[in-house]
Amino acid sequence: MAERTPKRTIKDSVFTHLFQDKKYLLQLYQTLHPEDQTVTEREIEDVTIKHVLVDGDYNDLGFSVGGRLMVLVESQSNWSVNIIIRALLYLAQTYHDYFKRTRQNLYGSKKAVVPKPELYVIFTGERKTIPDTLSLTNEFFGGEKTAVDVEVTVLSQENNQDIIGQYIFFSKIYNEQRKLYGYTKRAVLETIRICKDRNVLKEYLETREQEVVDMMMTLFDDEYILEAYARDIQDEEARKTAERMIKAGKLSLEEIAAYLPALSLDDLKELEANILQQM
């Protein structure tokens, strides 16, 4: 039986699994607010969106703290300023759900109770320069004042001193192991071993190791399929281009191969033979 390859199902990722546990969610909050050491797990409520608008998307993590804070956190391995737009949509939907849940009448004269919003993105990828914050007006409107602005705080420093830094450390160790061993179980097991040795998410990995292995073994399959699909499209486009060039008869197969590295000389000879059979 062939070894399973890791699959990428974002919403069943280690990130969401880790912070479904109130103990680690509390640690995340206290990393963001070290001044608040009196808050308890009971004061933290999971408000992660299950569906956003009509496309069925949902965010990585949302939680409220004592009704005074609304915190949304996204984990992102590929850099995209569009996270600002997504964060805005997630926040709007989270507030909508909150007002409905607390039975507040937004059409009445009584001022609504609105938890203060905080938006974060935890970036686990590679990039030379990473800003501390992303702003809607700066990124999309050239800094011009608009009716709405959104500011997202970017967290990207790995360390083993807090739960966020440990998660980033974990992600980067996995990236390193995947480069060494590819989409294999060995990459997964080596990631877990190294993290436990370095005291990175050690308690979580020791108590949930089999669950983590199962998740990580399904972590990158979607990405693998997407990459293969993209290669298939590129190959098909290259074949169509090569067919037109062969029929034009202006270039040799060797010259066409130089223009279209996706196709080998043997591929072009086979394509030429097929064209000649059809004539």
Side-chain angles (χ1 to χ4, degrees):
M1 181 180 293
E3 186 182 42
R4 289 183 301 161
T5 58
K7 177 179 177 182
R8 185 176 183 267
T9 41
I10 297 176
K11 302 308 173 185
D12 293 324
S13 68
V14 171
F15 178 83
T16 54
H17 186 261
L18 173 65
F19 294 114
Q20 283 173 2
D21 189 321
K22 279 282 190 76
K23 176 172 59 178
Y24 300 118
L25 187 56
L26 176 59
Q27 290 180 33
L28 183 149
Y29 168 70
Q30 290 181 329
T31 297
L32 299 174
H33 288 276
E35 77 286 354
D36 187 0
Q37 295 300 313
T38 61
V39 70
T40 65
E41 291 180 15
R42 186 173 293 184
E43 293 178 82
I44 297 179
E45 181 181 1
D46 184 357
V47 295
T48 305
I49 304 167
K50 303 307 178 187
H51 298 283
V52 173
L53 304 181
V54 297
D55 61 5
D57 282 342
Y58 48 101
N59 61 338
D60 286 342
L61 178 65
F63 62 94
S64 63
V65 183
R68 64 182 184 275
L69 277 181
M70 193 72 75
V71 183
L72 304 186
V73 187
E74 293 297 299
S75 175
Q76 184 167 290
S77 58
N78 296 313
W79 184 260
S80 172
V81 296
N82 293 330
I83 186 64
I84 306 171
I85 305 296
R86 301 205 311 273
L88 174 60
L89 296 177
Y90 296 150
L91 180 61
Q93 183 65 30
T94 302
Y95 272 146
H96 176 274
D97 294 346
Y98 171 78
F99 293 132
K100 184 176 180 180
R101 186 170 63 254
T102 56
R103 300 180 180 276
Q104 297 193 58
N105 180 11
L106 299 183
Y107 297 95
S109 59
K110 182 180 179 181
K111 180 188 283 189
V113 176
V114 185
K116 178 184 175 182
E118 294 185 357
L119 306 176
Y120 299 90
V121 58
I122 297 176
F123 180 64
T124 61
E126 300 294 332
R127 198 169 190 267
K128 288 184 179 180
T129 58
I130 303 173
D132 294 328
T133 59
L134 292 170
S135 164
L136 179 69
T137 57
N138 290 340
E139 293 293 340
F140 292 92
F141 305 113
E144 181 182 352
K145 185 178 180 180
T146 62
V148 177
D149 193 11
V150 177
E151 186 172 281
V152 180
T153 300
V154 181
L155 307 171
S156 61
Q157 293 301 313
E158 71 269 23
N159 63 69
N160 62 357
Q161 302 303 311
D162 61 67
I163 196 73
I164 296 175
Q166 288 183 50
Y167 171 72
I168 296 171
F169 209 156
F170 168 88
S171 300
K172 293 191 174 183
I173 290 173
Y174 180 44
N175 290 339
E176 292 171 358
Q177 297 309 304
R178 187 165 51 86
K179 289 177 183 177
L180 288 173
Y181 303 113
Y183 297 93
T184 65
K185 188 173 183 178
R186 183 174 181 182
V188 172
L189 295 177
E190 283 297 298
T191 298
I192 293 174
R193 180 189 64 78
I194 293 170
C195 285
K196 289 196 296 185
D197 288 347
R198 297 183 184 180
N199 201 30
V200 173
L201 301 181
K202 184 175 181 179
E203 181 188 44
Y204 167 73
L205 293 173
E206 286 182 339
T207 58
R208 306 285 187 87
E209 182 162 345
Q210 189 55 54
E211 293 175 72
V212 173
V213 170
D214 289 343
M215 280 188 296
M216 293 181 70
M217 284 304 296
T218 60
L219 190 62
F220 281 95
D221 190 51
D222 289 347
E223 185 175 276
Y224 180 81
I225 292 172
L226 184 61
E227 289 175 353
Y229 179 67
R231 286 195 298 270
D232 287 344
I233 292 176
Q234 291 174 351
D235 290 347
E236 182 61 26
E237 290 300 319
R239 291 183 69 83
K240 289 179 180 178
T241 301
E243 186 174 344
R244 291 194 297 270
M245 295 173 78
I246 291 171
K247 287 179 178 179
K250 295 181 179 181
L251 297 174
S252 67
L253 295 184
E254 288 77 7
E255 290 171 321
I256 295 174
Y259 279 107
L260 301 171
L263 299 177
S264 67
L265 188 58
D266 288 339
D267 292 332
L268 293 172
K269 288 179 179 178
E270 181 181 348
L271 183 58
E272 182 182 51
N274 292 336
I275 291 173
L276 292 174
Q277 286 180 358
Q278 296 171 8
M279 294 178 64

